[in-house]
Structure formats: structure tokens, C-alpha cells
Amino acid sequence: MRVIVGIDESDESLYALQWTVNNLFNVLINSAAGGERNLLTLVHVHQPSKHYGVGPSAFPAGPGVAAYPSTALVDSVRKSQEQISARILSRALEMCDNKMKTETLILEGNPKDKLCEISEEMKVDLLIVGNRGLGRIQRAFLGSVSDYCAHYAKCPVLIVKPPKEMAGQ
């Protein structure tokens, strides 16, 4: 079985991963199917860094003045994003505790689009995402990765809701 878990810095996504390890992979490892054929892919998607340099990418630096960030600044931002992604996935890998074959993947773009795309490209059996418990109005304005994936992913999607005591935080 090939499974993707979408990971970000939220407690809800880490809870979804812990649920996956405890409830799905422990069963698969102990079943007759064996753990060797199972693969867990942890995917973190970060927003693309701005590509500065021409007209619309300039930012105001005062009345009548526009500034263009240097290539060094853009590279620094990109490197920082990669380091943050690596830390998030490192924490997630620790939770897997070498119980199953696990790989990590860092993508750049819109998380809801990228999770659906990569799950289709990798032909996964299941996409697992956490749920922040947004209300209808918040979901309408902010969008919901889990809601989008449930409607547009080409594979089954499991949305793991956090326990009630965690949902209020």
C-alpha cells in the first residue's frame, strides 16, 4: 500500500500522521501483507517564493519609489523555506520511528493542488490529511486543503479530525 500524508507545521497534520502510524501502518505491518511492500510518503508543500525583478514584483519603498530585492535576498528566502520544510519533515520522520518504509518530499506551490497532483502521479492508494476544524465561513474565505482534496483527488482521501480537546486550540 502506498500512502501520502500531507504535513505542515500544524498540530492537526502531525496528529493525522500519528493516527496513520498507530492505526493504519501498525495494522499493515502486523498483517499477513507484511510491511515491506508498504510505503509512507510525507509531503510538505510550501508557498512559492516570489520571483522578483520586473514591474509587478517590485515592492513600494516609499512615496514614488520602488525597490527590487537582490538575487541574494531571493536565494536567502528560498533557502530559509527549504530549511523550515526540512525541519517539519524531520520532526514527522521521528514520529514514524523506523516502523515502516518512509520517504519525504518537499514541493513548492499551492498545498491543495500539489497534494492532489502528487497523489495522482505516484498512484497512491490513500491520501491522508489533517483537519483544522474551520467553520463554514472561515473555510469559504481561507479555503480548506482537506475539503479540496476530498473533492478533487483521484484516490481515496482520509481526513483525520483532531480530538475535541485539541480542536479548540
Side-chain angles (χ1 to χ4, degrees), residues 38-65:
N38 300 313
L39 175 63
L40 175 61
T41 304
L42 307 176
V43 178
H44 176 72
V45 183
H46 60 80
Q47 296 293 330
S49 54
K50 301 287 184 198
H51 300 288
Y52 297 101
V54 293
S57 62
F59 58 90
V65 179

Side-chain angles (χ1 to χ4, degrees), residues 100-131:
M100 77 274 323
K101 185 176 179 183
T102 308
E103 65 181 11
T104 61
L105 193 56
I106 298 172
L107 302 173
E108 185 177 71
N110 185 320
K112 56 190 176 185
D113 293 327
K114 290 297 182 180
L115 284 171
C116 290
E117 288 170 17
I118 196 66
S119 62
E120 186 175 359
E121 284 175 28
M122 293 179 65
K123 296 178 177 41
V124 299
D125 300 300
L126 183 62
L127 171 60
I128 300 176
V129 291
N131 180 290

Side-chain angles (χ1 to χ4, degrees), residues 1 23-38:
M1 174 175 261
N23 296 289
L24 182 63
F25 273 88
N26 280 342
V27 171
L28 290 172
I29 289 168
N30 295 325
S31 73
E36 287 302 311
R37 291 176 282 163
N38 300 313

Side-chain angles (χ1 to χ4, degrees), residues 1 24 61 63 66 74 76 96 105 135 139 143 146 149-150 155 162 164:
M1 174 175 261
L24 182 63
V74 174
S76 175
C96 296
L105 193 56
R139 221 175 24 246
S146 58
C149 291
C155 66
K164 287 184 181 181

Side-chain angles (χ1 to χ4, degrees), residues 44 80-92 106:
H44 176 72
S80 177
Q81 283 182 317
E82 290 170 1
Q83 289 172 341
I84 291 167
S85 296
R87 276 194 298 256
I88 291 168
L89 289 174
S90 175
R91 181 176 174 201
I106 298 172

